[in-house]
Amino acid sequence: MIKVLFVCLGNICRSPTAHGVFDALLKREGLTDKVLVDSAGTAAWHIGKAPDARSQLAAKNRGVDLSYIAARQVESRDFDVFDYVLAMDKSNFENLIELSGPASRNKIKLFLDYAKNSTATEVPDPYYGGAKGFDTVLDLVEDACEGLLEDIRTNHVI
Ligand code: 4NP
């Protein structure tokens, strides 16, 4: 099984959005028993909480349910368990590099490295902004999820 971990700061906006969108894509493609998805935050503030209501609404408008996701913090064993550890922004990326050992370094990537229709390198934090920011997150996440699945199909036998 290929294991993918999406990481942002709070694990209540961006990474749970990616988690739900990628789960939905895998379901459509009949790959739920081949790829395992999870998400986590670098910060501990929101442990146990459901995704932000604004993220849930923006996702629901595109047919994606996020209500089953509960926030957790990144832990050191994640670097052993997961094959892909995908950061939403450069700050998350730097924090992950600091937390991980050198052996896990090549698992950690910026999630938008997989985006095909955008040149953006970071998924902007929507937490302190308006509703539009949450839609932007979904646009970027949907694009990069497609590219990520392509990468998994290219580099692994699933
Ligand atoms: P996320 O967004 O990292 O996409 O989950 C945030 C959620 C909460 C906070 C910051 C960003 N916060 O400051 O509580």
Side-chain angles (χ1 to χ4, degrees), residues 102-141:
S104 314
R105 169 65 188 80
N106 60 348
K107 297 178 174 185
I108 303 167
K109 301 221 160 59
L110 277 171
F111 177 43
L112 291 190
D113 286 355
Y114 298 98
K116 297 193 302 180
N117 301 312
S118 166
T119 54
T121 55
E122 304 184 285
V123 183
D125 184 348
Y127 191 68
Y128 291 106
K132 196 168 174 290
F134 291 83
D135 262 334
T136 302
V137 169
L138 271 147
D139 290 339
L140 294 168
V141 162

Side-chain angles (χ1 to χ4, degrees), residues 3-8 15 18 22 38-40 79 82-89 92-93 96 106-114 144-145 148 151-152:
K3 300 187 183 73
V4 176
L5 181 68
F6 296 108
V7 178
C8 62
S15 61
F22 202 49
D38 199 2
S39 60
F79 299 105
F82 289 91
D83 303 292
Y84 291 77
V85 179
L86 303 175
M88 294 295 138
D89 64 29
N92 310 146
F93 180 87
L96 288 168
N106 60 348
K107 297 178 174 185
I108 303 167
K109 301 221 160 59
L110 277 171
F111 177 43
L112 291 190
D113 286 355
Y114 298 98
C145 279
L148 173 61
D151 185 89
I152 291 172

Side-chain angles (χ1 to χ4, degrees), residues 18-34:
H19 182 160
V21 167
F22 202 49
D23 263 347
L25 176 59
L26 293 169
K27 200 169 174 185
R28 280 202 300 281
E29 299 289 329
L31 292 170
T32 48
D33 57 340
K34 306 282 188 195

Side-chain angles (χ1 to χ4, degrees), residues 74-80 85 93-108:
V74 175
E75 48 194 36
S76 51
R77 71 183 288 271
D78 289 327
F79 299 105
D80 301 323
V85 179
F93 180 87
E94 295 303 334
N95 286 327
L96 288 168
I97 295 291
E98 274 175 30
L99 290 169
S100 76
S104 314
R105 169 65 188 80
N106 60 348
K107 297 178 174 185
I108 303 167

Side-chain angles (χ1 to χ4, degrees), residues 8-16 45-46 92 125-128:
C8 62
L9 178 59
N11 192 213
I12 55 166
C13 299
R14 293 165 294 172
S15 61
W45 308 316
H46 300 286
N92 310 146
D125 184 348
Y127 191 68
Y128 291 106

